[in-house]
Every structure is written in structure tokens, then in C-alpha cells.
PDB file of all heavy atoms in Angstrom:
ATOM      1  N   LYS A 138      16.639   7.755  -2.815  1.00  0.00           N
ATOM      2  CA  LYS A 138      15.509   7.541  -3.709  1.00  0.00           C
ATOM      3  C   LYS A 138      14.834   6.190  -3.495  1.00  0.00           C
ATOM      4  O   LYS A 138      13.610   6.113  -3.367  1.00  0.00           O
ATOM      5  CB  LYS A 138      15.985   7.674  -5.158  1.00  0.00           C
ATOM      6  CG  LYS A 138      14.912   7.490  -6.198  1.00  0.00           C
ATOM      7  CD  LYS A 138      15.486   7.725  -7.590  1.00  0.00           C
ATOM      8  CE  LYS A 138      14.451   7.519  -8.666  1.00  0.00           C
ATOM      9  NZ  LYS A 138      15.010   7.766 -10.023  1.00  0.00           N
ATOM     10  N   MET A 139      15.620   5.108  -3.446  1.00  0.00           N
ATOM     11  CA  MET A 139      15.042   3.775  -3.330  1.00  0.00           C
ATOM     12  C   MET A 139      14.264   3.604  -2.030  1.00  0.00           C
ATOM     13  O   MET A 139      13.149   3.081  -2.022  1.00  0.00           O
ATOM     14  CB  MET A 139      16.141   2.717  -3.431  1.00  0.00           C
ATOM     15  CG  MET A 139      16.831   2.674  -4.777  1.00  0.00           C
ATOM     16  SD  MET A 139      15.680   2.441  -6.167  1.00  0.00           S
ATOM     17  CE  MET A 139      15.019   0.815  -5.778  1.00  0.00           C
ATOM     18  N   GLY A 140      14.847   4.076  -0.923  1.00  0.00           N
ATOM     19  CA  GLY A 140      14.161   3.989   0.354  1.00  0.00           C
ATOM     20  C   GLY A 140      12.895   4.812   0.381  1.00  0.00           C
ATOM     21  O   GLY A 140      11.858   4.391   0.919  1.00  0.00           O
ATOM     22  N   PHE A 141      12.943   6.000  -0.220  1.00  0.00           N
ATOM     23  CA  PHE A 141      11.786   6.891  -0.273  1.00  0.00           C
ATOM     24  C   PHE A 141      10.646   6.255  -1.065  1.00  0.00           C
ATOM     25  O   PHE A 141       9.490   6.260  -0.629  1.00  0.00           O
ATOM     26  CB  PHE A 141      12.195   8.213  -0.899  1.00  0.00           C
ATOM     27  CG  PHE A 141      11.049   9.132  -1.214  1.00  0.00           C
ATOM     28  CD1 PHE A 141      10.420   9.859  -0.214  1.00  0.00           C
ATOM     29  CD2 PHE A 141      10.582   9.262  -2.522  1.00  0.00           C
ATOM     30  CE1 PHE A 141       9.352  10.704  -0.500  1.00  0.00           C
ATOM     31  CE2 PHE A 141       9.525  10.098  -2.820  1.00  0.00           C
ATOM     32  CZ  PHE A 141       8.906  10.823  -1.800  1.00  0.00           C
ATOM     33  N   LEU A 142      10.972   5.676  -2.225  1.00  0.00           N
ATOM     34  CA  LEU A 142       9.937   5.074  -3.060  1.00  0.00           C
ATOM     35  C   LEU A 142       9.355   3.816  -2.423  1.00  0.00           C
ATOM     36  O   LEU A 142       8.154   3.549  -2.529  1.00  0.00           O
ATOM     37  CB  LEU A 142      10.496   4.762  -4.450  1.00  0.00           C
ATOM     38  CG  LEU A 142      10.869   5.984  -5.298  1.00  0.00           C
ATOM     39  CD1 LEU A 142      11.456   5.558  -6.629  1.00  0.00           C
ATOM     40  CD2 LEU A 142       9.659   6.891  -5.511  1.00  0.00           C
ATOM     41  N   LYS A 143      10.190   3.022  -1.746  1.00  0.00           N
ATOM     42  CA  LYS A 143       9.699   1.826  -1.056  1.00  0.00           C
ATOM     43  C   LYS A 143       8.746   2.221   0.071  1.00  0.00           C
ATOM     44  O   LYS A 143       7.688   1.601   0.256  1.00  0.00           O
ATOM     45  CB  LYS A 143      10.849   1.003  -0.497  1.00  0.00           C
ATOM     46  CG  LYS A 143      10.397  -0.314   0.149  1.00  0.00           C
ATOM     47  CD  LYS A 143      11.557  -1.109   0.679  1.00  0.00           C
ATOM     48  CE  LYS A 143      11.078  -2.472   1.220  1.00  0.00           C
ATOM     49  NZ  LYS A 143      10.012  -2.356   2.210  1.00  0.00           N
ATOM     50  N   GLU A 144       9.122   3.243   0.813  1.00  0.00           N
ATOM     51  CA  GLU A 144       8.253   3.721   1.894  1.00  0.00           C
ATOM     52  C   GLU A 144       6.929   4.227   1.340  1.00  0.00           C
ATOM     53  O   GLU A 144       5.859   3.994   1.921  1.00  0.00           O
ATOM     54  CB  GLU A 144       8.968   4.834   2.659  1.00  0.00           C
ATOM     55  CG  GLU A 144       8.189   5.359   3.852  1.00  0.00           C
ATOM     56  CD  GLU A 144       8.934   6.443   4.601  1.00  0.00           C
ATOM     57  OE1 GLU A 144      10.156   6.609   4.352  1.00  0.00           O
ATOM     58  OE2 GLU A 144       8.308   7.133   5.430  1.00  0.00           O
ATOM     59  N   LEU A 145       6.979   4.911   0.203  1.00  0.00           N
ATOM     60  CA  LEU A 145       5.765   5.402  -0.442  1.00  0.00           C
ATOM     61  C   LEU A 145       4.849   4.244  -0.837  1.00  0.00           C
ATOM     62  O   LEU A 145       3.646   4.270  -0.556  1.00  0.00           O
ATOM     63  CB  LEU A 145       6.138   6.226  -1.681  1.00  0.00           C
ATOM     64  CG  LEU A 145       4.978   6.630  -2.596  1.00  0.00           C
ATOM     65  CD1 LEU A 145       4.066   7.622  -1.889  1.00  0.00           C
ATOM     66  CD2 LEU A 145       5.502   7.221  -3.906  1.00  0.00           C
ATOM     67  N   GLU A 146       5.433   3.221  -1.472  1.00  0.00           N
ATOM     68  CA  GLU A 146       4.644   2.078  -1.915  1.00  0.00           C
ATOM     69  C   GLU A 146       4.038   1.331  -0.723  1.00  0.00           C
ATOM     70  O   GLU A 146       2.858   0.943  -0.756  1.00  0.00           O
ATOM     71  CB  GLU A 146       5.523   1.134  -2.739  1.00  0.00           C
ATOM     72  CG  GLU A 146       5.940   1.712  -4.080  1.00  0.00           C
ATOM     73  CD  GLU A 146       6.921   0.810  -4.800  1.00  0.00           C
ATOM     74  OE1 GLU A 146       7.286  -0.251  -4.233  1.00  0.00           O
ATOM     75  OE2 GLU A 146       7.337   1.161  -5.919  1.00  0.00           O
ATOM     76  N   ASP A 147       4.841   1.120   0.322  1.00  0.00           N
ATOM     77  CA  ASP A 147       4.334   0.414   1.508  1.00  0.00           C
ATOM     78  C   ASP A 147       3.213   1.196   2.173  1.00  0.00           C
ATOM     79  O   ASP A 147       2.208   0.624   2.626  1.00  0.00           O
ATOM     80  CB  ASP A 147       5.472   0.184   2.507  1.00  0.00           C
ATOM     81  CG  ASP A 147       6.484  -0.845   2.011  1.00  0.00           C
ATOM     82  OD1 ASP A 147       6.154  -1.578   1.062  1.00  0.00           O
ATOM     83  OD2 ASP A 147       7.603  -0.884   2.564  1.00  0.00           O
ATOM     84  N   ASP A 148       3.360   2.515   2.223  1.00  0.00           N
ATOM     85  CA  ASP A 148       2.348   3.355   2.844  1.00  0.00           C
ATOM     86  C   ASP A 148       1.047   3.330   2.035  1.00  0.00           C
ATOM     87  O   ASP A 148      -0.049   3.238   2.603  1.00  0.00           O
ATOM     88  CB  ASP A 148       2.871   4.788   2.957  1.00  0.00           C
ATOM     89  CG  ASP A 148       1.910   5.702   3.709  1.00  0.00           C
ATOM     90  OD1 ASP A 148       1.580   5.379   4.869  1.00  0.00           O
ATOM     91  OD2 ASP A 148       1.482   6.720   3.146  1.00  0.00           O
ATOM     92  N   LEU A 149       1.157   3.395   0.704  1.00  0.00           N
ATOM     93  CA  LEU A 149      -0.022   3.310  -0.156  1.00  0.00           C
ATOM     94  C   LEU A 149      -0.739   1.975   0.043  1.00  0.00           C
ATOM     95  O   LEU A 149      -1.969   1.917   0.122  1.00  0.00           O
ATOM     96  CB  LEU A 149       0.387   3.466  -1.622  1.00  0.00           C
ATOM     97  CG  LEU A 149       0.687   4.879  -2.122  1.00  0.00           C
ATOM     98  CD1 LEU A 149       1.247   4.829  -3.539  1.00  0.00           C
ATOM     99  CD2 LEU A 149      -0.562   5.748  -2.078  1.00  0.00           C
ATOM    100  N   TYR A 150       0.038   0.921   0.112  1.00  0.00           N
ATOM    101  CA  TYR A 150      -0.513  -0.430   0.286  1.00  0.00           C
ATOM    102  C   TYR A 150      -1.279  -0.541   1.596  1.00  0.00           C
ATOM    103  O   TYR A 150      -2.440  -0.978   1.633  1.00  0.00           O
ATOM    104  CB  TYR A 150       0.619  -1.454   0.230  1.00  0.00           C
ATOM    105  CG  TYR A 150       0.166  -2.880   0.438  1.00  0.00           C
ATOM    106  CD1 TYR A 150      -0.208  -3.676  -0.644  1.00  0.00           C
ATOM    107  CD2 TYR A 150       0.123  -3.430   1.717  1.00  0.00           C
ATOM    108  CE1 TYR A 150      -0.617  -4.990  -0.450  1.00  0.00           C
ATOM    109  CE2 TYR A 150      -0.287  -4.742   1.911  1.00  0.00           C
ATOM    110  CZ  TYR A 150      -0.655  -5.513   0.824  1.00  0.00           C
ATOM    111  OH  TYR A 150      -1.074  -6.810   1.027  1.00  0.00           O
ATOM    112  N   ASP A 151      -0.623  -0.126   2.705  1.00  0.00           N
ATOM    113  CA  ASP A 151      -1.239  -0.253   4.025  1.00  0.00           C
ATOM    114  C   ASP A 151      -2.529   0.563   4.119  1.00  0.00           C
ATOM    115  O   ASP A 151      -3.553   0.085   4.650  1.00  0.00           O
ATOM    116  CB  ASP A 151      -0.255   0.197   5.108  1.00  0.00           C
ATOM    117  CG  ASP A 151       0.928  -0.757   5.239  1.00  0.00           C
ATOM    118  OD1 ASP A 151       0.802  -1.910   4.785  1.00  0.00           O
ATOM    119  OD2 ASP A 151       1.967  -0.337   5.771  1.00  0.00           O
ATOM    120  N   LYS A 152      -2.512   1.777   3.606  1.00  0.00           N
ATOM    121  CA  LYS A 152      -3.693   2.638   3.690  1.00  0.00           C
ATOM    122  C   LYS A 152      -4.826   2.108   2.818  1.00  0.00           C
ATOM    123  O   LYS A 152      -6.006   2.183   3.195  1.00  0.00           O
ATOM    124  CB  LYS A 152      -3.328   4.066   3.276  1.00  0.00           C
ATOM    125  CG  LYS A 152      -2.499   4.800   4.313  1.00  0.00           C
ATOM    126  CD  LYS A 152      -2.212   6.237   3.885  1.00  0.00           C
ATOM    127  CE  LYS A 152      -1.434   6.967   4.969  1.00  0.00           C
ATOM    128  NZ  LYS A 152      -1.095   8.358   4.568  1.00  0.00           N
ATOM    129  N   ALA A 153      -4.481   1.580   1.623  1.00  0.00           N
ATOM    130  CA  ALA A 153      -5.511   1.053   0.734  1.00  0.00           C
ATOM    131  C   ALA A 153      -6.189  -0.168   1.346  1.00  0.00           C
ATOM    132  O   ALA A 153      -7.416  -0.330   1.265  1.00  0.00           O
ATOM    133  CB  ALA A 153      -4.895   0.694  -0.618  1.00  0.00           C
ATOM    134  N   VAL A 154      -5.399  -1.036   1.989  1.00  0.00           N
ATOM    135  CA  VAL A 154      -5.964  -2.216   2.649  1.00  0.00           C
ATOM    136  C   VAL A 154      -6.845  -1.784   3.818  1.00  0.00           C
ATOM    137  O   VAL A 154      -7.958  -2.299   4.018  1.00  0.00           O
ATOM    138  CB  VAL A 154      -4.842  -3.156   3.126  1.00  0.00           C
ATOM    139  CG1 VAL A 154      -5.419  -4.268   4.011  1.00  0.00           C
ATOM    140  CG2 VAL A 154      -4.103  -3.750   1.927  1.00  0.00           C
ATOM    141  N   GLU A 155      -6.342  -0.833   4.585  1.00  0.00           N
ATOM    142  CA  GLU A 155      -7.078  -0.351   5.758  1.00  0.00           C
ATOM    143  C   GLU A 155      -8.418   0.267   5.369  1.00  0.00           C
ATOM    144  O   GLU A 155      -9.430   0.100   6.059  1.00  0.00           O
ATOM    145  CB  GLU A 155      -6.222   0.671   6.502  1.00  0.00           C
ATOM    146  CG  GLU A 155      -6.864   1.215   7.766  1.00  0.00           C
ATOM    147  CD  GLU A 155      -5.990   2.257   8.452  1.00  0.00           C
ATOM    148  OE1 GLU A 155      -4.776   2.303   8.169  1.00  0.00           O
ATOM    149  OE2 GLU A 155      -6.526   3.024   9.266  1.00  0.00           O
ATOM    150  N   LYS A 156      -8.470   0.972   4.239  1.00  0.00           N
ATOM    151  CA  LYS A 156      -9.695   1.640   3.807  1.00  0.00           C
ATOM    152  C   LYS A 156     -10.607   0.730   2.986  1.00  0.00           C
ATOM    153  O   LYS A 156     -11.690   1.151   2.558  1.00  0.00           O
ATOM    154  CB  LYS A 156      -9.341   2.874   2.969  1.00  0.00           C
ATOM    155  CG  LYS A 156      -8.663   3.969   3.758  1.00  0.00           C
ATOM    156  CD  LYS A 156      -8.318   5.146   2.856  1.00  0.00           C
ATOM    157  CE  LYS A 156      -7.638   6.273   3.633  1.00  0.00           C
ATOM    158  NZ  LYS A 156      -7.280   7.402   2.745  1.00  0.00           N
ATOM    159  N   GLY A 157     -10.175  -0.476   2.774  1.00  0.00           N
ATOM    160  CA  GLY A 157     -11.005  -1.410   2.018  1.00  0.00           C
ATOM    161  C   GLY A 157     -10.952  -1.209   0.528  1.00  0.00           C
ATOM    162  O   GLY A 157     -11.809  -1.707  -0.226  1.00  0.00           O
ATOM    163  N   GLN A 158      -9.961  -0.470   0.041  1.00  0.00           N
ATOM    164  CA  GLN A 158      -9.829  -0.257  -1.400  1.00  0.00           C
ATOM    165  C   GLN A 158      -9.275  -1.488  -2.111  1.00  0.00           C
ATOM    166  O   GLN A 158      -9.376  -1.617  -3.321  1.00  0.00           O
ATOM    167  CB  GLN A 158      -8.903   0.952  -1.659  1.00  0.00           C
ATOM    168  CG  GLN A 158      -9.471   2.269  -1.152  1.00  0.00           C
ATOM    169  CD  GLN A 158      -8.471   3.410  -1.253  1.00  0.00           C
ATOM    170  OE1 GLN A 158      -7.280   3.196  -1.174  1.00  0.00           O
ATOM    171  NE2 GLN A 158      -8.986   4.622  -1.481  1.00  0.00           N
ATOM    172  N   VAL A 159      -8.677  -2.388  -1.318  1.00  0.00           N
ATOM    173  CA  VAL A 159      -8.129  -3.628  -1.867  1.00  0.00           C
ATOM    174  C   VAL A 159      -8.940  -4.781  -1.289  1.00  0.00           C
ATOM    175  O   VAL A 159      -9.170  -4.848  -0.086  1.00  0.00           O
ATOM    176  CB  VAL A 159      -6.648  -3.777  -1.513  1.00  0.00           C
ATOM    177  CG1 VAL A 159      -6.106  -5.102  -2.072  1.00  0.00           C
ATOM    178  CG2 VAL A 159      -5.828  -2.605  -2.022  1.00  0.00           C
ATOM    179  N   LYS A 160      -9.376  -5.678  -2.146  1.00  0.00           N
ATOM    180  CA  LYS A 160     -10.133  -6.834  -1.681  1.00  0.00           C
ATOM    181  C   LYS A 160      -9.399  -8.091  -2.098  1.00  0.00           C
ATOM    182  O   LYS A 160      -8.907  -8.222  -3.213  1.00  0.00           O
ATOM    183  CB  LYS A 160     -11.533  -6.826  -2.262  1.00  0.00           C
ATOM    184  CG  LYS A 160     -12.346  -5.595  -1.842  1.00  0.00           C
ATOM    185  CD  LYS A 160     -13.782  -5.697  -2.294  1.00  0.00           C
ATOM    186  CE  LYS A 160     -14.580  -4.463  -1.925  1.00  0.00           C
ATOM    187  NZ  LYS A 160     -14.595  -4.205  -0.472  1.00  0.00           N
ATOM    188  N   PHE A 161      -9.288  -9.038  -1.174  1.00  0.00           N
ATOM    189  CA  PHE A 161      -8.649 -10.329  -1.427  1.00  0.00           C
ATOM    190  C   PHE A 161      -9.725 -11.404  -1.539  1.00  0.00           C
ATOM    191  O   PHE A 161     -10.671 -11.433  -0.741  1.00  0.00           O
ATOM    192  CB  PHE A 161      -7.671 -10.667  -0.293  1.00  0.00           C
ATOM    193  CG  PHE A 161      -6.571  -9.670  -0.125  1.00  0.00           C
ATOM    194  CD1 PHE A 161      -6.663  -8.656   0.821  1.00  0.00           C
ATOM    195  CD2 PHE A 161      -5.418  -9.740  -0.907  1.00  0.00           C
ATOM    196  CE1 PHE A 161      -5.659  -7.747   0.991  1.00  0.00           C
ATOM    197  CE2 PHE A 161      -4.406  -8.829  -0.739  1.00  0.00           C
ATOM    198  CZ  PHE A 161      -4.508  -7.819   0.212  1.00  0.00           C
ATOM    199  N   TYR A 162      -9.592 -12.287  -2.498  1.00  0.00           N
ATOM    200  CA  TYR A 162     -10.561 -13.353  -2.697  1.00  0.00           C
ATOM    201  C   TYR A 162      -9.830 -14.705  -2.566  1.00  0.00           C
ATOM    202  O   TYR A 162      -8.942 -15.028  -3.350  1.00  0.00           O
ATOM    203  CB  TYR A 162     -11.201 -13.243  -4.073  1.00  0.00           C
ATOM    204  CG  TYR A 162     -11.952 -11.952  -4.244  1.00  0.00           C
ATOM    205  CD1 TYR A 162     -11.336 -10.842  -4.849  1.00  0.00           C
ATOM    206  CD2 TYR A 162     -13.273 -11.807  -3.813  1.00  0.00           C
ATOM    207  CE1 TYR A 162     -12.003  -9.644  -4.988  1.00  0.00           C
ATOM    208  CE2 TYR A 162     -13.962 -10.612  -3.956  1.00  0.00           C
ATOM    209  CZ  TYR A 162     -13.336  -9.540  -4.544  1.00  0.00           C
ATOM    210  OH  TYR A 162     -13.998  -8.348  -4.692  1.00  0.00           O
ATOM    211  N   THR A 163     -10.181 -15.395  -1.533  1.00  0.00           N
ATOM    212  CA  THR A 163      -9.587 -16.724  -1.285  1.00  0.00           C
ATOM    213  C   THR A 163     -10.681 -17.755  -1.155  1.00  0.00           C
ATOM    214  O   THR A 163     -11.832 -17.441  -0.832  1.00  0.00           O
ATOM    215  CB  THR A 163      -8.733 -16.703  -0.001  1.00  0.00           C
ATOM    216  OG1 THR A 163      -9.560 -16.344   1.108  1.00  0.00           O
ATOM    217  CG2 THR A 163      -7.578 -15.716  -0.131  1.00  0.00           C
TER     218      THR A 163
END
């Protein structure tokens, strides 16, 4: 379960960044 959920979260993060759904302001 823990590995599956971590992989899910990492995959969501990477795809959201790649598609521009996440914006960073520095």
C-alpha cells in the first residue's frame, strides 16, 4: 500500500508539473 500510494503521488506531481498545472513563483 505505502509504495503504491507514494508512486501515485509522485506520478501525479510529475505529470502536473509537466502539463503546467503547477506554477512556482520565486
Side-chain angles (χ1 to χ4, degrees):
K138 181 177 179 179
M139 295 305 297
F141 171 77
L142 293 178
K143 184 179 184 306
E144 183 179 346
L145 171 67
E146 291 174 359
D147 290 344
D148 185 57
L149 282 173
Y150 178 90
D151 292 340
K152 287 183 177 178
V154 171
E155 182 182 341
K156 293 179 180 179
Q158 295 173 330
V159 179
K160 298 187 182 301
F161 300 97
Y162 298 95
T163 60

